[in-house]
Amino acid sequence: MKVSFDDLHKAFESRVRLGIMSALAVNDSLDFSSLKEFLDVTDGNLSTHIKKLEQEGFVSVNKSFIDNKPNTRYSMTMEGKKAFDEHLGVLEQIINSQKES
Amino acid sequence: MKVSFDDLHKAFESRVRLGIMSALAVNDSLDFSSLKEFLDVTDGNLSTHIKKLEQEGFVSVNKSFIDNKPNTRYSMTMEGKKAFDEHLGVLEQIINSQKES
């Protein structure tokens, strides 16, 4: 077996970023507190990782107001979905290569 | 679905360390140059990551001489195997939770 570890995306090496992408893959959009609750991380930690995914172009941010209160929602971009799917595909190869042995 | 991202082991977040463990999981032992070739990384990069896995107690090092030449071989420890299997189990949950959606 030859798994292409290089195809694992560096942006998803972090557990928190893997978690953010997993959550956004199955929800059209999520707000900060939902993501925080889902991942059980601190505000600062989550902010840092969301910013990194934004910079990669994998997550988009939509700021609006609901009842005059600011509401920020995060979504996965098409580019993010493509990269994340590829990443999971390589992880699956790794898992399968272990099962064959 | 609720995947326990916390159960992903920090030691395996790095692609290179994931690769080292994958290779050692299917080979009783490997020498430095075999690992290097398998992963296509530099000497320095590989050394750093092996050291980290050694410190975690996940990889053991066996130094010997073959024809008066030093030969260093790396193996996965029982503890390493247990931790790696758990890690792959969580990754599998993540992949499956995406497929269900």
Side-chain angles (χ1 to χ4, degrees), chain A residues 2 13 15 92 99, chain B residues 2 13 15 38 92 99:
Chain A
K2 182 78 182 167
E13 283 187 319
R15 294 178 292 182
E92 194 165 24
K99 287 185 177 166
Chain B
K2 183 78 184 170
E13 283 189 317
R15 295 179 291 185
F38 176 69
E92 194 165 25
K99 287 185 178 167

Side-chain angles (χ1 to χ4, degrees), chain A residues 52-80:
Chain A
K52 169 86 179 154
L53 291 170
E54 258 189 86
Q55 284 163 353
E56 292 278 350
F58 294 163
V59 165
S60 64
V61 184
N62 180 27
K63 295 187 185 205
S64 64
F65 285 85
I66 294 176
D67 293 335
N68 287 324
K69 279 188 227 154
N71 183 270
T72 304
R73 298 191 70 87
Y74 303 92
S75 305
M76 188 181 273
T77 63
M78 287 298 291
E79 194 184 340

